[in-house]
Amino acid sequence: MKKNLIFDICFYPKKYLSLITCIEHVNNILKIQQQYLYKEQDWYLCSTTKKKSSIHKGFDRNGVTEIGLHKLTKEYNKDKKHFCLGIWDKKTEEAGLVYSIYEQTCGQPFKVEIRLDYDVLLSEIALNNIQKFCLALSEQFDGAYIMVNNNYEIEKQIFPDRLSAAWMIYLPEVQLSHNMVPQAFDVISGTDHEEQAAGSLVITVPHFFDEKNIDDIKAVNRVDTKLHELGLLPLYADI
């Protein structure tokens, strides 16, 4: 049985990022996922149709391709206030990545949002590898929130206007222990790219989070309630 595994990453750069930096971010994600989660190395640029999305290989084992760089440069130069890069695994049709940076009209001036979407066999989803994948991502993106399978039905969320721990959530710039969030299955400290203490990964359940399982939903709600009490569950409008 295959399950949908989704990672959402959000952070605020101090300035609008260069195209080279955006591409470097994507390259680093692809390298990390090959180590912990997903082995395919050829990624095609997304377009308006499946046929058009199967033409140009944007990334391979060596990083961005020549045609990929050409296409992305053209897209980047269209609008200096918003840039979106989408790639997918044409071979299996079971994985995709969307990277967006845009200028905001309020709050932080710039925001980056990244979504990683995989269809993975349940038997191949190892909790330890998911944890390591999240922590490796946190080292790449200082100050980032990282959420795993945070896309469950809003009606089941106890705080629908706030982030949810869902299966896992990485909270930047806060050091938590399991004693502080005993409702969680585990809490792991993270480090930044300089290997300094940086944040905490909160894991709600020891198995794949099933939004149709009432016990899993109750477990998430208990963790969300505790994080909210600690002032660590921000509003979507604030991130």
Side-chain angles (χ1 to χ4, degrees), residues 83-191:
F83 170 66
C84 183
L85 184 168
I87 55 176
W88 73 306
D89 175 13
K90 185 183 77 169
K91 179 181 178 181
T92 67
E93 301 185 8
E94 294 178 347
L97 179 156
V98 177
Y99 180 108
S100 299
I101 179 170
Y102 52 90
E103 185 175 341
Q104 300 195 119
T105 56
C106 60
Q108 299 288 345
F110 305 105
K111 185 176 184 179
V112 171
E113 293 181 321
I114 308 168
R115 169 163 282 200
L116 314 174
D117 193 325
Y118 310 93
D119 288 330
V120 185
L121 285 170
L122 184 59
S123 60
E124 296 178 355
I125 299 176
L127 177 66
N128 190 47
N129 282 344
I130 304 299
Q131 294 172 356
K132 289 180 179 178
F133 184 52
C134 286
L135 292 172
L137 290 173
S138 73
E139 292 177 6
Q140 294 293 322
F141 304 107
D142 293 348
Y145 288 91
I146 303 172
M147 294 151 283
V148 184
N149 280 24
N150 190 36
N151 59 324
Y152 64 103
E153 294 177 16
I154 195 169
E155 293 81 7
K156 297 178 180 179
Q157 299 179 22
I158 194 168
F159 302 113
D161 57 343
R162 295 180 180 273
L163 300 187
S164 171
W167 189 11
M168 303 180 197
I169 186 169
Y170 181 84
L171 299 168
E173 302 173 1
V174 59
Q175 291 295 300
L176 296 174
S177 67
H178 200 188
N179 288 336
M180 297 173 68
V181 192
Q183 297 81 0
F185 168 72
D186 200 3
V187 177
I188 304 173
S189 296
T191 57

Side-chain angles (χ1 to χ4, degrees), residues 38-49:
Y38 199 81
K39 302 300 183 182
E40 294 296 330
Q41 297 179 324
D42 293 333
W43 297 83
Y44 283 73
L45 298 177
C46 294
S47 187
T48 54
T49 66

Side-chain angles (χ1 to χ4, degrees), residues 9-18 22 25 76 79-83 99-113 142-144 238-239:
I9 306 167
C10 169
F11 66 96
Y12 301 97
K14 295 180 180 179
K15 61 181 180 179
Y16 196 79
L17 301 178
S18 68
C22 297
H25 284 166
Y76 183 87
D79 185 352
K80 290 303 177 66
K81 293 185 177 181
H82 178 263
F83 170 66
Y99 180 108
S100 299
I101 179 170
Y102 52 90
E103 185 175 341
Q104 300 195 119
T105 56
C106 60
Q108 299 288 345
F110 305 105
K111 185 176 184 179
V112 171
E113 293 181 321
D142 293 348
D238 292 338
I239 66 164

